[in-house]
Amino acid sequence: MKVSLTATVLVLVIWLIASPNHSCSARIVVPDDFDLFDYGAIHDNTQTDDEGFSKEAFPEGWETGAKTRDSFNRTNAHTEENDPQAFLETWEAKTNTFNVVDYGAVGNGLVDDTKAFLEAWGAMCASSTQDTLTLVVPQGKRFLLNAVAFEGPCTASKVNFQIQGSIVAPNNIGAWTNKEMWIQFSKVQGLSVNGGGRINGNGAVWWKACGGEGCQRPTALHFNKCHGFQLSRLAIFNSPKNHISICSCNGPRVFGLLIWAPKDSPNTDGIDISQSTRVTIQSSHIATGDDCIAINSGSSYIKIRDIKCGPGHGISIGSLGQHGEYSQVEEVQVSNCTFKGTTNGVRIKTWEGGSGYARKITFEGITFEDTKNPIIIDQHYFAKPTSAMDMSKSVQVSDVTYRNINGTCADEKAITLACAGGGCTNIVMDNVTIKSDLPNKRSYAYCDNAHGTSSFSVPSVPCLSH
């Protein structure tokens, strides 16, 4: 008697489910909101690994200590043997997973794997399934990538780019095919980028040969029109220029990152935001040679919290109004952040001759340690007028609140409110205490053309009413 293959499989599955020796209670379920990593501190004398990365802040093998939903790890492989439901889930996960190695990626850090990554992405993006699709960059390997654009839209509503291993950039400037962006995601909806791996921009060769303002250097990771994307649990370091750029995105969430570059590396911002709204950045450690986070024109409803910043240039609004441009930023909340050894703390910077506004901004629960310029509004940023600029104009700064702020400044100047001719209005200082780190020195505030109120402020801010 001939029995069809379908009938055989059906009988096998029924027998497995009915077996009394197998229980679903043995499965390990990892929650979607996996705990964020505590990266620790980075100091000048911190020991580094062969990639120049802090061992103290990011020890070797940390990513393997975290359990993920990767159906190929040993835990799940063991679970499959004892649980038919887990077997079925694993089979389904494998059909929705695209490993770059299966598309020809070598992962030795020497062979260019860009083509293999694009082929894996193309296959995943075109897949007709409506389930979550995952592109896997496996751990234990270093994948060399040249400039690459992962473009959408994809068929699936959710796409996961899981970086478990390391991705490295070319260390020869001449080998780069695009000197504006390195890794770009464009028009991909439902995107998650995570996995516990590393992204190394090999920026040192750029800083040495091309460190000036007029020299074009690539951004490491760029997101354009990727609404609702999530970026988490990664280390991104040594970008040639800014590490992460978020442009024209609505509703992204960024958390659990370690972003690192030497404090003297030029223009290596941690995260730059522009033309985006409803952005959340939280629970990350950023240590670079420029702004930890910069919020540029066209951005609104930005929430930043639980950030360790330093070294670097602090968290900045702007610069705005460059070359007479119209700029706007509003509804920004920065809370529960720590600044250590930064050249600035919380800063608003605008150019003379620009126009527009920066308004409805709150800095709350901020701690400074040995920070230069802890609180600063600078409306004379890089004032280099041209004949086409109307120097009587300025970006209007208003409704800025500093609340529950404490710590120390590197010298005596704790607060600077240097406002342009139009003045800054409704500036509020509420329970602010910043003392000087210098022995026997008292901190002070400088203000020009700023208007608002101050209560329980040390130092006293003379231009604000008490």
Side-chain angles (χ1 to χ4, degrees):
M1 179 178 65
K2 295 183 179 180
V3 181
S4 70
L5 178 61
T6 302
T8 303
V9 172
L10 180 60
V11 170
L12 176 61
V13 170
I14 292 173
W15 177 81
L16 285 170
I17 293 174
S19 174
N21 296 324
H22 302 289
S23 171
C24 290
S25 62
R27 295 169 58 216
I28 297 176
V29 179
V30 181
D32 290 332
D33 55 344
F34 185 81
D35 291 340
L36 305 180
F37 302 110
D38 179 11
Y39 296 118
I42 296 178
H43 308 286
D44 290 342
N45 59 354
T46 299
Q47 188 178 10
T48 58
D49 63 14
D50 59 349
E51 292 181 312
F53 202 74
S54 166
K55 291 183 178 179
E56 175 185 350
F58 207 71
E60 185 70 28
W62 72 276
E63 65 272 28
T64 60
K67 291 184 175 64
T68 70
R69 288 190 178 275
D70 177 15
S71 62
F72 302 100
N73 66 26
R74 293 181 180 178
T75 300
N76 283 349
H78 176 74
T79 303
E80 292 173 32
E81 298 173 1
N82 301 294
D83 184 357
Q85 182 64 28
F87 171 81
L88 295 176
E89 290 180 359
T90 300
W91 178 84
E92 181 181 355
K94 288 179 179 178
T95 63
N96 295 335
T97 299
F98 300 78
N99 192 314
V100 295
V101 173
D102 295 336
Y103 291 83
V106 177
N108 64 1
L110 302 174
V111 176
D112 188 343
D113 289 319
T114 307
K115 182 180 178 181
F117 271 63
L118 284 173
E119 288 183 358
W121 175 266
M124 179 186 67
C125 201
S127 177
S128 59
T129 181
Q130 292 301 308
D131 297 327
T132 299
L133 300 179
T134 301
L135 186 149
V136 175
V137 181
Q139 66 184 32
K141 293 180 177 291
R142 299 176 73 242
F143 297 91
L144 176 65
L145 285 191
N146 212 308
V148 59
F150 300 107
E151 298 182 351
C154 295
T155 304
S157 59
K158 293 184 179 180
V159 176
N160 183 17
F161 198 106
Q162 192 172 90
I163 304 171
Q164 301 171 356
S166 294
I167 294 176
V168 297
N171 58 10
N172 179 358
I173 294 178
W176 283 75
T177 56
N178 182 334
K179 296 183 179 180
E180 183 179 359
M181 297 174 190
W182 178 27
I183 301 172
Q184 178 181 183
F185 293 91
S186 180
K187 300 179 181 179
V188 185
Q189 312 312 319
L191 171 68
S192 295
V193 181
N194 52 38
R198 302 179 175 188
I199 299 175
N200 179 0
N202 268 328
V205 294
W206 291 88
W207 309 330
K208 182 178 179 180
C210 184
E213 286 285 341
C215 184
Q216 188 179 46
R217 287 172 284 138
T219 296
L221 195 56
H222 179 75
F223 296 88
N224 177 54
K225 297 182 179 178
C226 295
H227 304 310
F229 80 82
Q230 180 173 291
L231 174 66
S232 63
R233 299 197 293 266
L234 290 171
I236 305 168
F237 56 103
N238 290 338
S239 174
K241 198 177 178 183
N242 51 332
H243 287 74
I244 300 169
S245 175
I246 300 173
C247 181
S248 301
C249 297
N250 179 23
R253 182 176 176 226
V254 177
F255 65 91
L257 299 185
L258 176 59
I259 302 173
W260 186 88
K263 64 181 181 181
D264 58 351
S265 56
N267 308 114
T268 52
D269 291 8
I271 303 174
D272 286 346
I273 306 168
S274 62
Q275 303 294 329
S276 297
T277 186
R278 304 192 183 282
V279 181
T280 298
I281 301 173
Q282 67 184 85
S283 305
S284 297
H285 188 170
I286 304 174
T288 70
D290 212 306
D291 292 333
C292 290
I293 301 173
I295 303 167
N296 297 301
S297 182
S299 300
S300 61
Y301 296 93
I302 311 298
K303 290 186 177 181
I304 299 169
R305 61 178 182 266
D306 301 316
I307 300 297
K308 294 180 181 179
C309 174
H313 295 182
I315 295 178
S316 296
I317 312 292
S319 61
L320 304 177
Q322 183 177 6
H323 305 313
E325 295 173 352
Y326 180 88
S327 301
Q328 66 263 17
V329 170
E330 64 180 337
E331 298 288 357
V332 177
Q333 298 179 13
V334 179
S335 61
N336 301 325
C337 296
T338 301
F339 298 81
K340 182 175 182 179
T342 54
T343 57
N344 300 288
V346 291
R347 175 170 59 160
I348 299 174
K349 50 182 179 178
T350 73
W351 290 59
E352 288 184 294
S355 60
Y357 56 81
R359 65 192 183 194
K360 300 179 181 178
I361 300 165
T362 300
F363 301 103
E364 184 171 12
I366 306 298
T367 301
F368 300 114
E369 182 179 343
D370 192 33
T371 299
K372 297 180 181 178
N373 305 308
I375 294 176
I376 178 170
I377 297 177
D378 180 6
Q379 291 211 270
H380 308 285
Y381 186 72
F382 288 169
K384 297 179 180 179
T386 66
S387 58
M389 294 171 59
D390 183 352
M391 299 306 293
S392 65
K393 292 182 178 180
S394 62
V395 176
Q396 298 300 303
V397 177
S398 65
D399 305 312
V400 182
T401 298
Y402 304 88
R403 180 181 294 118
N404 298 332
I405 293 176
N406 69 86
T408 62
C409 53
D411 49 29
E412 298 166 85
K413 186 185 292 187
I415 299 172
T416 299
L417 305 178
C419 300
C424 304
T425 59
N426 195 25
I427 307 300
V428 177
M429 296 281 173
D430 180 13
N431 191 26
V432 175
T433 302
I434 305 173
K435 298 181 179 180
S436 175
D437 266 339
L438 298 177
N440 303 317
K441 298 292 184 180
R442 299 182 64 179
S443 61
Y444 72 91
Y446 167 83
C447 58
D448 179 33
N449 213 11
H451 311 280
T453 61
S454 176
S455 58
F456 304 103
S457 178
V458 178
S460 176
V461 186
C463 59
L464 303 181
S465 61
H466 298 270

